[in-house]
Amino acid sequence: MELSPTLLALFGVLLAAWTAGAAWLMIRAGSKARGADKSRHAARRMARMLDEAPAIPLLVRADGRIEGSERLAHWLGFDRLPQYLSELGEGDDRGLSREQLEQLTDKVRRAQKSAAPFRMNITVPGSQRSLALRGQLADPQVSPGGAALVWVFDFSESATELSRMRAESARAKGDFAALVGLIEAAPMPMWFRGPDAKLRLVNSAYVEAVGAKDADTVVKEQVELIESVDGLAAAQVAAQASQQSRPVERIVQATIAGERRALRVSDLPLGDEGVAGYAVDIQELEEQARAHRAYAEAQRSMMDRLSVGVAQFDAGRKLTFANQPFRRIFALPLGLGGNGLTFERLLSDARDKSRTPEVRDFPAWRSEHVEWFEAGEPQEEAWPLSDGTHLRIVAQPMPDGGLALIAEDRTEQLALSATRDTLLRTRTATLDSLFEALGVFAPDGHLQLWNRSFAGTWGVDAELLDTHPSVDALLTEISGNLAKPKRAKVIGEVIRAATLDRKEQAGRVSLADGRTLEFAGVPLPDGNGLLTTLDVTANEQAETALRERNQALEQADEVKTRFLANMSYEFRTPLTSIGGFAEMLDSGVAGDLSEQAREYVAAIIESVARLTDQVEDVLDLSQSEAGLLPIRKEKFALLPFVTGIVREREQDIKSAGLSLDLRGGSNLKVMADSRQLARAIGHLVDNAIAATDSGGKILVDLSRKPEGTRIVISDNGSGMSPEALRRALEGLRPSIDGKGMERRQGLGIPLARQLVEAHGGELTIQSRENLGTSATIVLP
């Protein structure tokens, strides 16, 4: 059957339309499929974003049903999230507690009814998870029908951190309160300045130090404790510390409670907050430091005065101090301070100066001595030096690791020890060679030392003395040898007086064999007592003979004195007659005399005058020796008196070619017998004239001294030897043949001495051959 073209065309059109519709449907379906894929991808991405978000949504419908993610279920301790809100509190160790569930349910219902948002924080029981709930009415597009949308935030880490921060904050507040209390209770002034260097905070000690009412007054009036120093106030110094960002410490003076005190002030910058400061009262420390320095200086000065050398080394083995004896012993320069000089260098320098012993291996010897610093106990050595010096070295390790070195020069001690041993041996030999018997007794009464003659003198056994017997045992042995045994008690009293009473006593005993012993007790400086015994049997006999002879001599001397006195008186009468007749002849009573006769008469008159003076001298000397010379004292000026004596001898001085110098004050006066004193001075001047050669000088000096009036008559004549001076004072001189002694023609010096002593004065004569003689009279 053939189709018509029109049908075919219509069929084609329909087929094309169907094809086009199918193609459109296919394109439409593909577009929708792609849109669904995009929606599913977006949903998955949103779900993933929600899973990663810090908050999880919980949708609570009006009927109590809940919708949420598994992550929320895990937060609440469930494997899967329950269907209803009420089921969140059914687990014992999961979900919410009853109180939390009731509070959440109440807040959710209020939000569903009034659309009021709410906040709530919970901690899941049985865990440390802290959750923050933020609820509100859900958007109708999210869930129509009045559902509530609750966002759940996990802030467990934040809560833990917050708790930690709160604890730290509480602790910081407590520490700050304690610090404030500590600062307030501090005994030293403390303060705080702001960035502007003004006071903002002070403690009670500061307030008390400045004498203010309270801390507020101090801050308000900016009362400064520290005065300005070098033009800088305390605030300016604090500002400098803040600008330089470093602490500033200084020692200043401040007035506290009316007293000037030394303070150590510290300003401590605290960044941008300000500057803290405090002041420590170091007045006592300063005084102690001054006292310590003074003590150290005194100690060093004292050490310099010691005869023992002392040196100190620190832990680094460096010399810190050496006194003068140490420097002298080791030949150290006096100007050397000691700093930097090590112990090893000291030993090396000492060796170079021969101040160490000679050793074979000096480095090893030095190393051994360096070990002294680490020794646990003192070390002591004897160092014999090459020059004969002997040193005693003591090394004392110090607790700080240093060393104290003491050097003592024992050369003199060793020499003294050797001398002492020699003296002891000499003493023993000397005591044994003495004629006296000697015994030394200790204070306890035992015999300590004796010489050889002690046993024989007292008649005791030598073996008994070797036992060092006591006084009682010795006296028991001696008493049997005495003529009167009871006299042994006297010997014991003498020994006890010397040893215990420290007194000297003496005594005499007779022995049974006829001997006589004299003994004496002498206290010795060491506390012992010496008993010295002498056999005076022969001496006693000689003493008796001498006493008898002395009596005879005294009687002869009295006879001589009386004879001289009588002869002097007997000589006066004829001398007076001869002188009178000679003067009459000279005056021309018997007629004129020839020139030669006149010379004879003048010679007679002069001889009579000289002989009269000699007689007067003999008479005065005999009276003076007998103590019978009359002295009639009167007060007179001394210078005119002596001038008159010199004037009388002016012719003799000129004839001898001498010069005489008289010195003295016109106000000098003396109480004396003018006649006798004139004779004494005249004799001394006559001797000076006679002993001085032509051209010589005689000096007469008058002066007042504390001991009395002094008259000095000196010359530069020939002088005398000591023996000649002794004989001159005795009125003797060698005989012409030189075989004996004879009395001088003149009695000037002995008589002058007697006359001066009769006045209570003293005459002393000093003379040296070829230099002259000086006679000094001292009158009280």
Side-chain angles (χ1 to χ4, degrees):
M1 169 179 154
E2 293 183 358
L3 297 172
S4 62
T6 301
L7 185 58
L8 289 170
L10 180 59
F11 182 76
V13 171
L14 289 172
L15 182 59
W18 180 82
T19 302
W24 181 80
L25 289 173
M26 291 178 66
I27 293 172
R28 179 76 179 271
S31 177
K32 289 182 177 181
R34 287 193 297 274
D37 290 338
K38 290 181 179 180
S39 296
R40 286 193 299 272
H41 180 69
R44 286 194 300 271
R45 185 175 61 182
M46 185 61 68
R48 185 63 179 171
M49 291 177 63
L50 289 175
D51 288 338
E52 298 294 334
I56 301 175
L58 174 65
L59 186 64
V60 184
R61 298 183 183 276
D63 57 0
R65 289 178 178 274
I66 59 176
E67 295 181 10
S69 65
E70 291 184 1
R71 188 157 65 105
L72 178 58
H74 294 159
W75 282 5
L76 297 176
F78 296 101
D79 295 332
R80 296 184 63 184
L81 191 66
Q83 293 183 0
Y84 292 92
L85 181 62
S86 59
E87 296 177 354
L88 292 178
E90 292 181 355
D92 294 335
D93 56 353
R94 60 183 180 176
L96 305 178
S97 66
R98 181 180 298 177
E99 290 79 8
Q100 293 173 345
L101 181 58
E102 290 177 356
Q103 185 180 6
L104 178 60
T105 301
D106 181 67
K107 290 182 179 294
V108 168
R109 288 177 181 175
R110 187 181 298 116
Q112 289 175 343
K113 292 179 180 181
S114 62
F118 67 87
R119 294 172 179 266
M120 181 180 176
N121 297 327
I122 62 174
T123 300
V124 179
S127 69
Q128 298 295 327
R129 192 179 297 276
S130 298
L131 303 177
L133 307 180
R134 304 292 184 265
Q136 62 185 5
L137 185 64
D139 190 276
Q141 295 181 1
V142 175
S143 177
L149 178 61
V150 180
W151 289 95
V152 183
F153 297 86
D154 185 359
F155 66 100
S156 299
E157 295 181 358
S158 299
T160 302
E161 183 67 19
L162 182 60
S163 298
R164 185 183 64 80
M165 293 178 64
R166 287 176 179 171
E168 290 181 355
S169 176
R171 186 167 57 253
K173 289 182 180 179
D175 293 344
F176 181 75
L179 181 61
V180 171
L182 179 63
I183 293 175
E184 182 65 19
M188 66 187 70
M190 303 182 73
W191 61 89
F192 172 74
R193 300 178 186 272
D196 57 355
K198 291 185 177 181
L199 292 173
R200 291 190 179 181
L201 178 66
V202 295
N203 66 348
S204 299
Y206 189 103
V207 176
E208 183 180 357
V210 299
K213 180 179 180 182
D214 50 31
D216 294 337
T217 303
V218 173
V219 174
K220 181 179 179 181
E221 298 179 1
Q222 292 294 302
V223 181
E224 293 288 354
L225 172 66
I226 309 303
E227 305 169 357
S228 298
V229 179
D230 297 332
L232 293 177
Q236 293 175 316
V237 176
Q240 292 180 355
S242 178
Q243 293 172 1
Q244 298 174 2
S245 298
R246 62 181 181 87
V248 174
E249 184 175 293
R250 55 201 175 115
I251 297 177
V252 298
Q253 295 288 329
T255 302
I256 299 178
E259 296 182 2
R260 297 292 290 176
R261 311 286 295 181
L263 304 178
R264 180 183 288 112
V265 181
S266 299
D267 290 299
L268 310 174
L270 304 178
D272 297 334
E273 299 298 326
V275 180
Y278 63 90
V280 179
D281 190 339
I282 60 172
Q283 183 66 31
E284 287 76 10
L285 293 178
E286 287 292 315
E287 293 176 355
Q288 292 177 1
R290 286 194 294 268
H292 177 72
R293 288 193 296 269
Y295 175 77
E297 290 297 329
Q299 187 179 39
R300 293 194 173 190
S301 177
M302 179 191 67
M303 287 185 177
D304 283 337
R305 289 176 172 82
L306 295 176
S307 60
V308 178
V310 180
Q312 294 178 347
F313 296 85
D314 59 16
R317 299 201 293 271
K318 292 184 178 180
L319 181 64
T320 58
F321 169 75
N323 65 351
Q324 297 298 332
F326 188 91
R327 296 175 182 274
R328 183 171 57 254
I329 291 174
F330 289 95
L332 296 178
L334 296 180
L336 180 63
N339 296 331
L341 183 62
T342 62
F343 183 73
E344 296 89 335
R345 177 65 181 276
L346 173 66
L347 294 181
S348 299
D349 292 348
R351 182 201 182 195
D352 295 339
K353 298 174 182 177
S354 300
R355 308 312 294 169
T356 60
E358 295 293 338
V359 294
R360 180 175 301 175
D361 189 351
F362 179 77
W365 180 85
R366 182 178 56 189
S367 300
E368 292 176 359
H369 287 74
V370 170
E371 295 177 358
W372 281 353
F373 283 84
E374 300 177 357
E377 57 186 12
Q379 306 293 319
E380 182 173 345
E381 288 186 356
W383 288 8
L385 305 185
S386 58
D387 60 354
T389 303
H390 292 267
L391 300 180
R392 174 176 174 261
I393 304 296
V394 178
Q396 175 65 57
M398 306 302 291
D400 60 355
L403 184 74
L405 193 64
I406 302 174
E408 180 183 6
D409 189 347
R410 304 194 64 186
T411 307
E412 185 176 352
Q413 295 182 10
L414 294 176
L416 290 176
S417 178
T419 303
R420 176 180 175 274
D421 294 340
T422 303
L423 289 177
L424 288 177
R425 291 191 295 269
T426 304
R427 182 194 67 180
T428 302
T430 302
L431 293 179
D432 289 340
S433 63
L434 291 177
F435 183 74
E436 295 89 345
L438 301 178
V440 177
F441 292 84
D444 60 359
H446 283 80
L447 181 64
Q448 298 293 327
L449 182 66
W450 62 94
N451 63 353
R452 293 178 181 176
S453 59
F454 188 84
T457 300
W458 288 103
V460 297
D461 191 355
E463 294 181 356
L464 175 65
L465 301 182
D466 292 337
T467 63
H468 298 277
S470 64
V471 173
D472 295 335
L474 184 62
L475 293 181
T476 302
E477 185 73 16
I478 292 176
S479 62
N481 300 326
L482 300 180
K484 297 180 179 180
K486 292 184 179 180
R487 292 285 295 171
K489 183 179 179 180
V490 178
I491 303 173
E493 292 176 353
V494 170
I495 296 175
R496 291 186 180 91
T499 55
L500 300 179
D501 300 337
R502 314 300 297 163
K503 296 180 179 178
E504 295 186 10
Q505 286 189 8
R508 174 180 291 197
V509 294
S510 298
L511 301 184
D513 58 4
R515 291 182 297 145
T516 301
L517 301 181
E518 281 189 353
F519 56 90
V522 180
L524 299 178
D526 58 357
N528 295 329
L530 173 66
L531 178 66
T532 175
T533 308
L534 182 63
D535 188 346
V536 295
T537 305
N539 294 347
E540 189 175 22
Q541 298 173 353
E543 180 181 354
T544 302
L546 290 174
R547 187 180 297 109
E548 295 175 352
R549 184 176 181 183
N550 183 61
Q551 292 177 355
L553 291 175
E554 289 179 354
Q555 294 174 359
D557 187 66
E558 291 179 0
V559 172
K560 180 201 71 173
T561 301
R562 288 195 298 271
F563 172 75
L564 291 176
N566 293 332
M567 289 300 296
S568 297
Y569 283 113
E570 293 296 332
F571 277 133
R572 283 183 178 179
T573 300
L575 287 176
T576 302
S577 300
I578 294 172
F581 287 126
E583 290 176 356
M584 291 176 64
L585 291 174
D586 186 60
S587 62
V589 173
D592 294 335
L593 300 177
S594 64
E595 189 64 27
Q596 186 175 8
R598 289 184 178 276
E599 291 179 359
Y600 291 156
V601 171
I604 293 172
I605 294 175
E606 182 180 356
S607 298
V608 169
R610 186 180 298 110
L611 185 56
T612 302
D613 291 338
Q614 292 290 336
V615 172
E616 291 292 336
D617 290 346
V618 170
L619 179 60
D620 290 342
L621 182 60
S622 62
Q623 289 180 337
S624 177
E625 290 177 348
L628 303 176
L629 181 66
I631 298 295
R632 300 177 180 83
K633 293 184 178 181
E634 58 181 342
K635 191 174 184 180
F636 54 87
L638 185 59
L639 182 60
F641 174 73
V642 177
T643 302
I645 296 174
V646 173
R647 291 292 186 188
E648 293 176 357
R649 291 158 177 79
E650 183 177 1
Q651 185 61 39
D652 295 338
I653 295 173
K654 291 181 178 180
S655 300
L658 306 178
S659 62
L660 188 144
D661 186 7
L662 176 60
R663 302 175 184 176
S666 59
N667 57 346
L668 284 177
K669 293 185 179 181
V670 67
M671 180 70 70
D673 187 324
S674 59
R675 176 177 174 275
Q676 304 296 358
L677 182 60
R679 295 179 64 192
I681 297 175
H683 282 308
L684 295 176
V685 173
D686 292 339
N687 285 337
I689 295 172
T692 306
D693 297 332
S694 177
K697 295 182 179 180
I698 299 175
L699 171 64
V700 180
D701 181 72
L702 312 178
S703 61
R704 175 76 65 185
K705 297 296 178 181
E707 61 272 15
T709 303
R710 189 175 71 175
I711 304 171
V712 180
I713 303 169
S714 60
D715 62 70
N716 60 352
S718 58
M720 293 178 285
S721 64
E723 181 64 22
L725 178 60
R726 182 185 64 81
R727 292 194 299 267
L729 291 173
E730 295 175 355
L732 302 175
R733 69 177 181 182
S735 59
I736 298 177
D737 57 6
K739 295 182 180 181
M741 301 299 299
E742 63 181 8
R743 182 166 293 275
R744 291 176 176 269
Q745 293 180 355
L747 302 176
I749 293 180
L751 180 60
R753 185 174 187 178
Q754 293 289 343
L755 293 176
V756 171
E757 291 177 353
H759 284 80
E762 182 182 7
L763 172 63
T764 57
I765 299 178
Q766 297 178 344
S767 182
R768 295 185 63 181
E769 289 185 290
N770 302 321
L771 292 179
T773 303
S774 174
T776 301
I777 298 174
V778 177
L779 297 176

